[in-house]
Amino acid sequence: MAEEKKLKAAKPVKEPKLADPVASSIDLATQIMIKRAQELGVETVFDRNVKMKPCNIGNQGTCCKNCAMGPCRLPLPKGGIEGEDERKGMCGATANTIAARNFIRMIAGGAAAHSDHGRSVAEVFMSAARKETDAYKIKDTNKLLSIAPYLEVATTVEVDGETQDRDIDEIALEVAEKALNEWGKAEDELLYPKRAPKALYEKWKKAGVLPRNIDREIVEIMHRTHIGVDQDYKNLMKQGARAAIADGWGGSMLATDLQDVLFGTPYPLQSEANLGIMKEDHVNIIVHGHEPVLSEMIVAMAQKPEIIEYAKSKGAKGIQLGGICCTANEILQRHGVPVAGTFLQQELAIITGACDAMVVDIQCIFQNVANVAKCFHTKLITTHPIAKMEQDNVIHIEFDEHHALEDAEKIVRMGIDNFQNRGSEVMIPKQKATQIAGFGVESIKYHLGGTFRGDYFTLNDNIINGRIRGIGAVVGCNNARTRHNEAHIQVVKELLKNDVIVLTTGCNGIACAMEGLLTPESAAVYCGPGLSEVCETVGIPPVLHCGSCVDNSRLLLAATEVVKAGGLGDDICDVPAAGSAPEWMSEKAISIGQYVVSSGIYTVFGATFPTSGAPVFHNYLCKEMEKIYGGMWDYEPDPIKHAQLMIAHIDKKRKALGIDKARERVLMDMADRQALEA
Ligand code: BF8
């Protein structure tokens, strides 16, 4: 009988779906480490990408889950909408209303993240101004004096009828008070938007989008998008624009300025980028997140001779710090600390087996780094009270500015002590590239004219004479739904080839660094003849790395300087410039996109766009918005077409300015110049 029993065919064992390393990233180090992770059976975001599809309706922006009668899902019919769009949620909300609500909730999330970061910095700034902490001091008094007037803080005093310099400590204290007030003041309007060109400020005033205070604009988005409140996509977007301006010209700008005063305004310096910066014979500490308040202390601690000696006593040759995400950009631009990788490389840094501690603060941290850390000896340390992880291998060391150095020492020593616990299986990819980073409003000015003649006029002059066709601001995240870094690099290279100088921040900055685009030498390789000539003459890379994502505020101020220098119109929207986020993924990117658009800049996003399910609303963002702000959104996932859209917009602006015809180049001698001046 037993033999008669049919043997059940064993079910075929399903191989787990794994990512194709080459299809996942253009970067060799990343490809090597994805393969390594798969050999070790450690799952990464690249594998999850092939296992899980994104929700199609969420992707279109037309799923409303703002009340318990839903979620109401309004996908776009396959053939599009013919005739009237009759899609409605339970309450009657249209696809436009739902997509606009979702879109501005993303702005609220992004603006909150940037601005709350700014608030934390302002609180530390206040402690420093009150001299409550030894760890933080007012480092850059020039920057303090330059921002004080914008916060309506006097820098001079009248004594016996004479104007004298005001005490710097007094200025710092009042700047701290005024800055903190910007988050929740009861009256008036935000102070920094007055830094924008007058024409733009007036435009905002007319449109009714001047922010009152930072927190209020974010709260109002949550109110308006509650069921049964604002049901007009144009009115919803008005608030979206207002909150985004409160981010770019408020929370983010304050974060940048106060960080510069506390830690120093960046100037160009040389460093390296990619996983190859990690060293097998060193203690590797990776700092990841966004706020430089903690990482500044870790940098200081890791350089102390007694701490280096301590590392040596444990058998290491020294301490190698490396950064991931925007914390990386912060300590890169001020200290030259090398960058270990982009947003998508955070798991891979641990998979090297050489990461003795990963210290995280806020934003863009995968919860999966805790699962990956479990497979290795890595100590994963969370440090911020608002950003903890549920996994039990995560250590929480709460960081406080009042005992900042002690906290930093504890963390660094923990990394050092962990060096001896490494397994034998260390594998660090060799790839790394040299980069020059640390550009900003001040350093660009300096580079263009030195200490005495520093001005943006040289840049304007080169845009007017056509050597530089225009300015591209290429920024933002990586997105595992697209091939890592491919769109970033293709967009940037296409712009350079067409003589468009590129300003970068965030993970695009890291991608460009890994690709070797942040060196002056790359100009001769990738740029058109005009841009190449300018870069060679001035000695700058064709891609200027301007810092972290809150430092997109530097780009707003750089654009303002271009307007001030003259010859390119009287508003930011007149300048031949365009923005781009080829691989965006975060809510912060949407907030940035909106404040850039609201500041007059045409901005193209790649990857995906969360309004495709509501064509009328999408059209409003991509066409109608230009009539209000001079800038508008666009979406193009193909990188070359994406860059070409930007170039076409730049050309449109050149034509409007009457600088679209190539001018004959005339070599002038002194007599010619004198004649001109006369
Ligand atoms: O703030 S670019 S992935 S790291 S969100 Fe995050 Fe995006 Fe990178 Fe910096 Ni900005």
Side-chain angles (χ1 to χ4, degrees):
M1 290 291 280
E3 299 90 83
E4 281 171 25
K5 263 192 184 169
K6 259 193 177 170
L7 280 174
K8 265 194 185 168
K11 269 193 183 170
V13 182
K14 258 198 176 176
E15 287 290 323
K17 262 191 167 181
L18 294 176
D20 171 352
V22 177
S24 302
S25 176
I26 62 162
D27 170 54
L28 187 56
T30 305
Q31 294 170 3
I32 291 169
M33 291 313 295
I34 294 172
K35 196 154 178 285
R36 173 71 174 159
Q38 292 170 349
E39 282 161 10
L40 296 173
V42 181
E43 189 198 70
T44 66
V45 64
F46 300 99
D47 298 325
R48 291 190 289 283
N49 170 45
V50 294
K51 282 183 194 151
M52 187 175 67
K53 282 206 167 116
C55 163
N56 181 39
I57 307 166
N59 224 349
Q60 295 182 18
T62 46
C63 171
C64 183
K65 53 182 182 60
N66 295 8
C67 87
M69 295 194 290
C72 296
R73 307 188 307 160
L74 274 59
L76 196 64
K78 279 224 171 81
I81 304 281
E82 271 179 36
E84 205 169 318
D85 187 352
E86 286 173 350
R87 294 174 295 161
K88 296 184 192 68
M90 290 288 282
C91 68
T94 63
N96 294 327
T97 300
I98 291 173
R101 278 181 185 158
N102 289 336
F103 194 75
I104 72 169
R105 279 200 172 196
M106 291 182 86
I107 293 176
H114 287 142
S115 300
D116 216 32
H117 162 171
R119 186 202 319 265
S120 290
V121 175
E123 284 167 353
V124 172
F125 189 94
M126 176 61 94
S127 295
R130 286 183 181 151
K131 300 190 188 298
E132 291 170 354
T133 159
D134 292 336
Y136 302 97
K137 300 220 159 35
I138 304 301
K139 188 168 179 181
D140 191 337
T141 48
N142 284 337
K143 183 88 183 203
L144 176 68
L145 293 172
S146 76
I147 65 167
Y150 298 115
L151 291 165
E152 298 176 349
V153 175
T155 54
T156 54
V157 277
E158 293 286 316
V159 179
D160 301 332
E162 258 185 47
T163 306
Q164 290 183 1
D165 289 341
R166 194 177 169 199
D167 178 65
I168 206 82
D169 290 342
E170 246 181 69
I171 297 172
L173 203 55
E174 201 183 329
V175 162
E177 282 161 5
K178 287 274 174 61
L180 270 169
N181 204 29
E182 292 297 271
W183 271 266
K185 63 186 177 191
E187 287 171 345
D188 296 331
E189 62 190 45
L190 220 54
L191 295 168
Y192 269 8
K194 287 206 181 79
R195 298 174 78 170
K198 195 163 184 298
L200 179 56
Y201 177 83
E202 291 303 329
K203 207 180 269 172
W204 290 335
K205 195 170 182 181
K206 190 170 156 223
V209 295
L210 280 171
R212 293 153 291 185
N213 68 53
I214 298 164
D215 288 347
R216 181 169 182 177
E217 305 312 348
I218 296 165
V219 168
E220 192 171 306
I221 285 186
M222 299 314 285
H223 180 188
R224 285 199 197 204
T225 56
H226 184 276
I227 180 178
V229 187
D230 203 348
Q231 298 168 108
D232 169 4
Y233 64 89
K234 293 182 188 168
N235 207 40
L236 283 160
M237 267 323 294
K238 190 171 153 186
Q239 185 56 21
R242 203 177 201 182
I245 295 167
D247 174 359
W249 295 87
S252 282
M253 201 171 274
L254 282 162
T256 297
D257 279 350
L258 300 180
Q259 285 169 182
D260 281 358
V261 177
L262 281 175
F263 309 128
T265 302
Y267 276 88
L269 37 69
Q270 184 173 325
S271 185
E272 291 176 325
N274 213 343
L275 291 164
I277 63 101
M278 295 173 76
K279 293 188 182 137
E280 185 160 1
D281 52 10
H282 280 55
V283 173
N284 290 294
I285 299 178
I286 301 290
V287 283
H288 172 20
H290 284 76
E291 273 183 24
V293 166
L294 160 73
S295 46
E296 279 283 329
M297 293 301 108
I298 297 210
V299 174
M301 197 48 65
Q303 288 169 347
K304 285 203 163 187
E306 65 269 29
I307 295 290
I308 296 170
E309 273 316 306
Y310 184 62
K312 287 184 177 164
S313 76
K314 300 285 174 179
K317 286 210 172 128
I319 302 170
Q320 179 62 55
L321 278 186
I324 300 258
C325 284
C326 284
T327 287
N329 289 325
E330 296 286 3
I331 53 175
L332 162 73
Q333 65 183 346
R334 297 196 178 87
H335 303 284
V337 172
V339 175
T342 63
F343 171 67
L344 286 184
Q345 291 173 293
Q346 52 187 292
E347 292 159 316
L348 307 181
I350 299 177
I351 293 165
T352 59
C355 177
D356 301 302
M358 179 176 272
V359 190
V360 303
D361 51 76
I362 47 159
Q363 300 168 22
C364 299
I365 298 141
F366 288 168
Q367 186 166 357
N368 197 57
V369 288
N371 303 329
V372 176
K374 248 184 215 170
C375 306
F376 297 86
H377 77 300
T378 306
K379 298 269 186 220
L380 178 63
I381 305 163
T382 55
T383 55
H384 209 289
I386 69 160
K388 295 186 177 181
M389 289 186 188
E390 69 179 280
Q391 288 98 321
D392 55 16
N393 60 320
V394 181
I395 302 157
H396 186 72
I397 300 179
E398 198 143 311
F399 183 76
D400 183 316
E401 72 261 25
H402 297 101
H403 38 79
L405 283 167
E406 293 91 311
D407 293 339
E409 182 167 358
K410 197 167 158 191
I411 290 167
V412 173
R413 281 186 187 270
M414 192 174 273
I416 294 171
D417 289 338
N418 201 27
F419 178 74
Q420 289 172 330
N421 298 329
R422 276 192 201 170
S424 53
E425 301 262 351
V426 167
M427 194 183 114
I428 303 172
K430 290 194 179 63
Q431 288 71 23
K432 59 180 179 178
T434 301
Q435 61 169 327
I436 309 289
F439 287 91
V441 179
E442 297 84 351
S443 61
I444 293 175
K445 195 178 256 186
Y446 172 76
H447 262 278
L448 294 174
T451 311
F452 299 108
R453 294 188 307 117
D455 200 305
Y456 275 64
F457 181 72
T458 322
L459 174 64
N460 289 23
D461 200 21
N462 279 296
I463 293 175
I464 293 164
N465 69 30
R467 271 186 215 114
I468 297 178
R469 193 164 177 171
I471 305 166
V474 191
V475 307
C477 326
N478 292 114
N479 184 328
R481 300 300 190 184
T482 66
R483 193 174 180 213
H484 174 231
N485 285 359
E486 183 172 62
H488 277 314
I489 299 307
Q490 286 193 9
V491 168
V492 170
K493 283 186 178 168
E494 185 68 12
L495 293 174
L496 298 182
K497 195 170 93 187
N498 287 283
D499 290 317
V500 175
I501 192 167
V502 173
L503 306 183
T504 178
T505 60
C507 286
N508 179 275
I510 302 176
C512 289
M514 287 160 58
E515 187 70 11
L517 298 176
L518 302 189
T519 60
E521 300 76 39
S522 69
V525 182
Y526 297 107
C527 298
L531 179 58
S532 172
E533 187 186 333
V534 174
C535 290
E536 193 188 347
T537 312
V538 184
I540 51 169
V543 182
L544 303 178
H545 190 342
C546 299
S548 66
C549 286
V550 291
D551 293 333
N552 282 313
S553 62
R554 296 190 200 278
L555 307 191
L556 297 176
L557 292 175
T560 304
E561 289 294 326
V562 168
V563 173
K564 270 198 223 153
L568 292 174
D570 59 8
D571 195 350
I572 292 177
C573 65
D574 300 328
V575 177
S580 155
E583 300 180 25
W584 78 278
M585 63 85 210
S586 79
E587 291 171 327
K588 291 182 287 173
I590 294 290
S591 182
I592 294 167
Q594 185 57 51
Y595 71 64
V596 171
V597 165
S598 300
S599 301
I601 299 175
Y602 168 71
T603 301
V604 193
F605 269 37
T608 179
F609 205 82
T611 60
S612 59
V616 174
F617 175 57
H618 186 79
N619 187 60
Y620 179 71
L621 295 179
C622 296
K623 293 210 170 71
E624 300 295 306
M625 205 159 252
E626 189 179 27
K627 292 177 197 148
I628 312 170
Y629 304 108
M632 69 221 156
W633 289 88
D634 211 340
Y635 165 57
E636 177 50 67
D638 178 275
I640 301 300
K641 287 186 197 156
H642 182 119
Q644 285 300 336
L645 283 171
M646 296 169 74
I647 293 165
H649 179 82
I650 284 169
D651 287 349
K652 180 174 109 179
K653 293 296 168 182
R654 293 188 66 86
K655 192 162 184 214
L657 289 165
I659 54 169
D660 53 327
K661 313 258 166 4
R663 291 195 195 166
E664 222 174 283
R665 289 174 62 182
V666 184
L667 280 177
M668 293 205 203
D669 61 16
M670 190 53 82
D672 293 332
R673 285 190 183 280
Q674 279 163 351
L676 261 188
E677 272 156 29

